[in-house]
Amino acid sequence: LDFNSEEPLETRLLLVLEALEEVEGNNLLLIDNAGFSFEEIRRRLPKPPRWHILVSSRKQLPGLFIKKIDVLSPKQALDLFLLHYPAGKNDVVPIQQLLVHIGYHTLSLELFAKTCAKSPSLSPEKVLISLKTKGLQNIKREVWTEHSDKEIEVYRYLLAAFELQELSQQAIIILTQWVVLPPSP
């Protein structure tokens, strides 16, 4: 869809919803991280039988079938970590210690596993030491139960994942140049 950047967000949303109504076939619409404002657009969403809608939220939204998703079990977390960091299969104890420290937080464990896989000199043990050195203690499960200031802790962990990346001097120069570019849609 072509949007006029001067159009209000509400107008653009209506254009998207109208375009979805025109899509043929059996479709699935995923709405991630819906808040209480979801109720304002709910009646405008495409309808069954052509459309099925899956909504994720940290809020209790009325009138929806609720399926709570638990945190990963230690085994599931280890399996996911090893999927992205297969080199750790022979030494799982440091990985398990890291997983306990980050509270089996799915996004964090995936980022740290990928960081270890891409950085030969980085290990789960070094990641854990770095997190503890930065004063980042266990991510508590409640950081994801509701939108709140507690979510800031998760972002601090994600920043730590990026700080652990081993960037070449050329990559640092390029990223430094991008930082000063003006944002554009």
Side-chain angles (χ1 to χ4, degrees), residues 16-148:
V16 169
L17 294 173
E18 288 172 10
L20 289 176
E21 285 291 341
E22 302 299 318
V23 176
E24 295 295 326
N26 193 17
N27 304 291
L28 176 64
L29 176 61
L30 301 172
I31 299 175
D32 185 35
N33 203 18
F36 292 120
S37 61
F38 172 73
E39 287 301 313
E40 297 171 16
I41 65 161
R42 186 175 178 182
R43 67 182 177 281
R44 298 178 185 164
L45 293 173
K47 307 278 187 274
R50 287 190 335 205
W51 281 93
H52 301 276
I53 300 173
L54 179 63
V55 179
S56 75
S57 180
R58 296 179 190 109
K59 306 284 185 193
Q60 292 280 19
L61 301 175
L64 297 177
F65 172 77
I66 297 173
K67 172 68 174 150
K68 291 195 182 241
I69 300 174
D70 291 328
V71 297
L72 295 175
S73 71
K75 181 182 181 338
Q76 291 169 325
L78 179 62
D79 290 345
L80 180 59
F81 197 97
L82 292 174
L83 177 70
H84 299 291
Y85 182 61
K89 288 180 182 170
N90 298 326
D91 193 17
V92 298
V93 173
I95 296 172
Q96 290 169 328
Q97 292 170 343
L98 174 62
L99 296 176
V100 167
H101 186 80
I102 62 174
Y104 305 103
H105 184 259
T106 311
L107 178 58
S108 296
L109 76 88
E110 186 176 337
L111 282 173
F112 288 127
K114 289 178 178 178
T115 300
C116 288
K118 290 181 181 176
S119 303
S121 65
L122 194 60
S123 67
E125 187 175 19
K126 288 181 181 178
V127 170
L128 182 57
I129 290 168
S130 176
L131 292 176
K132 288 180 177 179
T133 302
K134 293 177 187 304
L136 296 172
Q137 298 307 316
N138 300 15
I139 296 180
K140 304 288 185 206
R141 278 189 217 160
E142 68 263 15
V143 295
W144 285 108
T145 58
E146 292 290 336
H147 285 290
S148 70

Side-chain angles (χ1 to χ4, degrees), residues 147-158:
H147 285 290
S148 70
D149 293 338
K150 294 178 184 177
E151 287 185 3
I152 301 301
E153 288 302 308
V154 174
Y155 298 125
R156 289 180 58 216
Y157 271 82
L158 299 180

